[in-house]
DNA sequence: ATGGTAGACCTTCTA
């Protein structure tokens, strides 16, 4: 089973680019972030024609997440529990009804910049809610994948210039610590476990020639519960996609689990 | 050199 995550930076501005990749890579399950549209504007039929079931948690202009699955999806939850006042569409989860079922959470974690604004505590609070959700799912000891744009650079080697990123919400100790705390609940990072690339960047800014200079960062992650990690065969970052026409600033990350 | 790009949407916010 191929499980993918991709921040597409507007699904409708990038539909041809995204569909081309889906035809090539043909993931069984995919989580999309930053669809930047309400549910009714999501191109559901285009994905259905490729054989996917579609679950969307959209929002006007900003954020928005979706799950696509070749298998039926059950027990779909939209929004991260723990704060009824949170109106940002950043989380969707479903039980993928494959022959060996797996629960998948699609994550678009808040950016958190600037750190002296309310956005940084929002990021850390969101992380606490995510970790609480993860803890309760892990207690079931079932296959689970929490995948998406975490907006966290885990280690200095995961960015081209750690000094340039010091102080940024994506690299602040509080952010890295929250990701580490989540991982230490019992998750395996698929990229760290299986990617041959020691850097494995997943994002290159549109500005300042970041892509041609390979000024990237690794912020899109696939975290697997022990029952899912036991089946991990391979993981890759599809960086070639960044060099195509009209790309997203993120590229897909794919994990392959034994069926 | 404090720049630069992209998307949604309508003037500025988010990333």
């Amino acid at each position: 089973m191929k499980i993918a995550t991709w921040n597409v930076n507007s699904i409708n501005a990038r539909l041809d680019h995204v569909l081309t990749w889906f035809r090539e890579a043909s993931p069984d399950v995919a989580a999309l972030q930053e669809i930047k549209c309400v549910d009714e504007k999501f191109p559901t039929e285009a994905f259905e024609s490729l054989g996917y079931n579609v679950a969307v948690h959209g929002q006007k202009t900003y954020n928005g997440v979706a799950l696509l699955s070749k298998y039926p999806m059950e027990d779909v939850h939209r929004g991260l529990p723990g704060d009824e006042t949170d109106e940002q569409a950043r989380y969707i989860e479903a039980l993928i009804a494959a022959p060996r079922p797996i629960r998948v959470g699609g994550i678009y974690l808040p950016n958190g910049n600037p750190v002296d604004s309310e956005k940084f505590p929002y990021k850390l609070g969101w992380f606490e809610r995510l970790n609480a959700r993860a803890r309760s799912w892990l207690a079931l000891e079932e296959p689970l994948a929490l995948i998406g744009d975490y907006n966290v650079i885990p280690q200095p080697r995961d960015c081209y210039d750690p000094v340039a990123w010091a102080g940024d919400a994506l690299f602040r100790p509080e952010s890295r610590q929250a990701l580490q705390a989540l991982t230490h609940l019992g998750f395996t990072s698929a990229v760290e476990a299986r990617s041959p690339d020691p850097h494995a960047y997943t994002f290159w800014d549109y500005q300042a020639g970041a892509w041609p200079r390979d000024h990237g960062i690794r912020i899109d992650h696939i975290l697997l519960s022990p029952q899912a990690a036991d089946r991990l065969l391979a993981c890759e970052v599809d960086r070639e996609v960044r060099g195509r026409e009209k790309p997203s600033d993120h590229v897909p990350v794919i994990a392959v689990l034994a069926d």
Side-chain angles (χ1 to χ4, degrees), chain A residues 153 158-160 165 170 200-204 215-219:
Chain A
I153 301 163
D158 298 313
C159 59
Y160 72 96
W165 284 91
L170 279 61
Y201 302 146
T202 64
F203 168 94
W204 296 259
H215 287 180
I217 56 177
R218 187 169 71 87
I219 56 176

Side-chain angles (χ1 to χ4, degrees), chain A residues 4-11 14 17-18 21-22 30-36 62-66 89-90 106-111 147-151 170 202-204 206 219-221 241-242 246-253:
Chain A
T5 178
W6 194 6
N7 180 323
V8 295
N9 186 21
S10 172
I11 186 61
R14 214 160 322 283
H17 176 85
V18 172
W21 182 81
F22 268 79
L32 303 183
Q33 300 88 39
E34 283 208 271
I35 61 172
K36 292 188 172 178
Y62 301 122
N63 310 316
V65 288
R90 295 178 173 278
I107 287 153
Y108 179 45
L109 218 129
N111 178 295
I147 68 181
D149 178 0
Y150 279 76
N151 269 317
L170 279 61
T202 64
F203 168 94
W204 296 259
Y206 289 121
I219 56 176
D220 300 271
H221 307 302
V241 172
R242 186 62 177 80
K246 213 171 184 298
S248 171
D249 39 9
H250 296 249
V251 296
V253 183

Side-chain angles (χ1 to χ4, degrees), chain A residues 67-169:
Chain A
L67 288 176
L68 309 168
S69 171
K70 291 184 177 176
Y71 301 100
M73 288 185 277
E74 303 170 357
D75 200 13
V76 177
H77 289 269
R78 293 171 178 82
L80 186 62
D83 181 359
E84 291 73 23
T85 67
D86 185 1
E87 294 180 341
Q88 299 189 28
R90 295 178 173 278
Y91 185 79
I92 186 169
E93 70 179 30
L95 179 63
I96 307 299
R100 299 176 73 181
I102 181 168
R103 199 173 303 273
V104 173
I107 287 153
Y108 179 45
L109 218 129
N111 178 295
N113 283 306
V115 291
D116 59 356
S117 74
E118 74 289 344
K119 292 181 180 183
F120 192 52
Y122 173 66
K123 177 178 196 163
L124 298 178
W126 206 95
F127 230 132
E128 283 183 23
R129 289 156 57 203
L130 175 63
N131 291 5
R133 186 71 167 174
R135 197 178 284 110
S136 58
W137 281 132
L138 283 173
L140 300 180
E141 301 186 356
E142 294 171 351
L144 167 69
L146 296 181
I147 68 181
D149 178 0
Y150 279 76
N151 269 317
V152 179
I153 301 163
Q155 300 288 334
R157 68 167 171 274
D158 298 313
C159 59
Y160 72 96
D161 185 359
V163 174
W165 284 91
D168 191 283

Side-chain angles (χ1 to χ4, degrees), chain A residues 154 183 187-195 218 221-224 232 235:
Chain A
T183 306
F187 288 97
T188 295
S189 170
V191 168
E192 291 171 26
R194 287 287 182 276
S195 173
R218 187 169 71 87
H221 307 302
I222 291 181
L223 299 188
L224 303 173
L232 179 61
C235 183

